Amino acid sequence: MFTGIVEETGKIVAREHTDDGLRLRIGADEVATGLEHGQSISVSGACLTVEEFREREWFEVFLATETVERTYLGDLATGETVNLERAMPADGRFDGHVVQGHVDAVATVTDIESVEEDWFFEFDLPAAFDRYVVEKGSITLDGISLTVADLDEERGRVTVAIIPTTYDLTTLAEKEPGDPVHLEVDVLAKYVERLLEARFD
């Protein structure tokens, strides 16, 4: 489990296609410290497993075909950046919200507006996912825990307010309208939906 609080950004330093998927080597400092084989890391919101690593330099993860198809990670070139977060320890501080690292879909940046020191990002939600989003609720975009500032249900778009720290420490500073982002809706909304379906069936 993750919290959506990005620890640092890393760079894709190598890619290797295989018959079963794609292997990525990601350069990192803090996140590549004290790793173990099999450890989980959120890479721009996708939970991936560490296969190899070099302390404070890089780690490697494997993306199965399903992960490549569900995310945009397979489209990233060497040199591009990703958001990184290690799984939360059982005794760790919970600063964000419950993030599984299971990407639901790929959303699209539709508008970016700078207002004084803050930024407002608007995203186009894929069909059928807007029902899991509520104003002032939590949403995960590229592995970042964010609060919904506005929801336009008619257009299927969501707006989030980004403070300078989040803007500077994540990949959001590099995003432009038309760029993809990984979407993970609040899992609690999914559980509520499932329970209500079971109750009224």
Side-chain angles (χ1 to χ4, degrees):
M1 186 181 75
F2 306 94
T3 67
I5 304 300
V6 173
E7 295 182 73
E8 69 173 322
T9 57
K11 282 193 175 182
I12 308 296
V13 295
R15 300 162 42 93
E16 179 190 359
H17 281 281
T18 71
D19 293 337
D20 301 320
L22 173 69
R23 182 167 285 102
L24 296 177
R25 177 175 290 186
I26 301 171
D29 182 6
E30 183 178 351
V31 169
T33 301
L35 289 180
E36 296 180 3
H37 178 81
Q39 188 169 339
S40 294
I41 293 182
S42 170
V43 178
S44 285
C47 178
L48 301 173
T49 302
V50 174
E51 291 192 334
E52 294 184 39
F53 61 91
R54 179 174 292 172
E55 190 77 6
R56 300 191 73 86
E57 289 190 28
W58 53 263
F59 63 93
E60 287 188 357
V61 292
F62 180 74
L63 285 68
T65 301
E66 180 184 354
T67 305
V68 173
E69 292 175 349
R70 186 177 286 268
T71 71
Y72 65 78
L73 293 177
D75 298 327
L76 294 179
T78 55
E80 294 195 72
T81 57
V82 288
N83 295 320
L84 302 175
E85 181 193 358
R86 290 167 290 189
M88 188 183 79
D91 59 349
R93 176 171 299 198
F94 204 130
D95 289 327
H97 75 281
V98 177
V99 177
Q100 294 182 297
H102 299 163
V103 175
D104 289 306
V106 175
T108 305
V109 179
T110 53
D111 190 41
I112 301 173
E113 182 182 2
S114 174
V115 180
E116 296 181 351
E117 294 186 354
D118 296 332
W119 297 80
F120 286 88
F121 279 69
E122 183 187 70
F123 301 90
D124 190 9
L125 295 174
F129 287 101
D130 56 345
R131 69 176 183 268
Y132 299 114
V133 181
V134 295
E135 192 171 337
K136 306 306 178 187
S138 296
I139 192 171
T140 308
L141 296 166
D142 266 359
I144 310 166
S145 173
L146 298 167
T147 301
V148 176
D150 183 61
L151 175 63
D152 187 336
E153 295 185 62
E154 207 169 288
R155 296 191 303 157
R157 292 186 176 181
V158 63
T159 300
V160 295
I162 306 298
I163 62 174
T165 299
T166 303
Y167 184 82
D168 293 337
L169 297 182
T170 70
T171 57
L172 287 177
E174 302 174 9
K175 294 293 183 181
E176 297 179 355
D179 285 346
V181 290
H182 293 140
L183 168 69
E184 180 184 331
V185 297
D186 193 344
V187 67
L188 298 180
K190 292 181 179 179
Y191 280 126
V192 170
E193 180 183 60
R194 185 63 181 267
L195 288 169
L196 289 174
E197 286 177 350
R199 180 177 179 181
F200 293 107
D201 276 351

